[in-house]
Amino acid sequence: MAIDNGGAQAKTRGQRVADSRAMEVASRVGLCARGVIYVLVGLLAVRIGFGGGSGKEADRSGAVRTIGEQSYGQVLLWALVVGLAAMALWRLSEAAFGQATEGGDKWTRRLGSLGLAVFYLVICIGVVQTALVGGSGGARGGDESSKDYTARVLELPYGRVLVGVFGAVLAIVGVVIVVRSLMRKFEKNLRTERMSRTTRRIVAGLGIIGGVACGVVAVATGLFILLAAVRFDAGEAKGLDETLRSFADTPAGPVLLIAAAVGLLLFGLYSFCEARWRIAPDHDAPAEQQVRSRGAG
């Protein structure tokens, strides 16, 4: 009995940390960092769609290089590092203790948060490497990295299966993102009651269009990875930049590329809205009450 009580107390302490004001700040800072990246990726992709030929990749590495080339590039890069690290820490706390929203304690939510924590940690490390070598240089292209990693996995025993499963899972996740965005599931994480009617419509529009764009890009990227497994050719794998550029090769031409780019840009703007209105625990309530509320949800 004493062991169970000790475990419950430890969990309560952990949840108290996860629901703390510091973690809330980390989540909002991290969402702002995500917004900066997606807005820049969207702008770069729009330029490519209109034939800008800026020479930068429309992916996270291209966005990081763009930041590094500014007057205070180093300062901005390290600020982005802090934001991405905060994002990874916040998602890790969600994986350990559950999300502070309805149904946030489900194992599927926790697993998703763990995946996002690893995802943003990898991006954070990449930005650190770029900042250390001087800003605009040092970041490997996303397409080059995708092909390199795919080739390494394909060489492993059952590597072809692993690559195929990863591509299929990514495509399925993309479909889920599209469906959830169209159903406006993201509003469950927002304090919509604090928005005016006009603001709520704008935020909903950003969330729907931005989420659908992210989902479509994820589906396309997953299918390219799956194709690499089927053909046993790492060259078929594409990063975000090549995936977006491939949209221009469809019958719709650059129009589809520009539409996807605008969608990613809008998702970046939605990230700022989520940072502003995301549901957070009531820090004035006792810790035990917060834990009971989370369990009830």
Side-chain angles (χ1 to χ4, degrees), residues 136-198:
S136 61
R140 292 188 65 195
D143 299 314
E144 180 185 352
S145 298
S146 296
K147 289 179 171 58
D148 186 32
Y149 294 147
T150 303
R152 292 184 182 181
V153 176
L154 284 174
E155 293 175 356
L156 299 174
Y158 302 103
R160 195 171 183 177
V161 175
L162 292 174
V163 172
V165 169
F166 179 78
V169 169
L170 183 58
I172 293 172
V173 169
V175 172
V176 172
I177 292 174
V178 171
V179 173
R180 290 180 63 85
S181 298
L182 292 174
M183 294 176 65
R184 298 170 65 161
K185 293 288 187 180
F186 55 86
E187 288 188 320
K188 291 184 177 181
N189 298 325
L190 304 176
R191 294 190 183 277
T192 54
E193 73 281 359
R194 297 186 178 181
M195 304 178 189
S196 66
R197 181 176 301 179
T198 301

Side-chain angles (χ1 to χ4, degrees), residues 63-86:
V64 170
R65 289 193 186 98
T66 300
I67 294 174
E69 291 171 357
Q70 306 309 309
S71 301
Y72 297 95
Q74 284 283 8
V75 176
L76 294 174
L77 284 177
W78 285 112
L80 188 61
V81 167
V82 172
L84 291 171

Side-chain angles (χ1 to χ4, degrees), residues 126-142:
V127 178
V128 169
Q129 292 174 339
T130 302
L132 290 177
V133 299
S136 61
R140 292 188 65 195

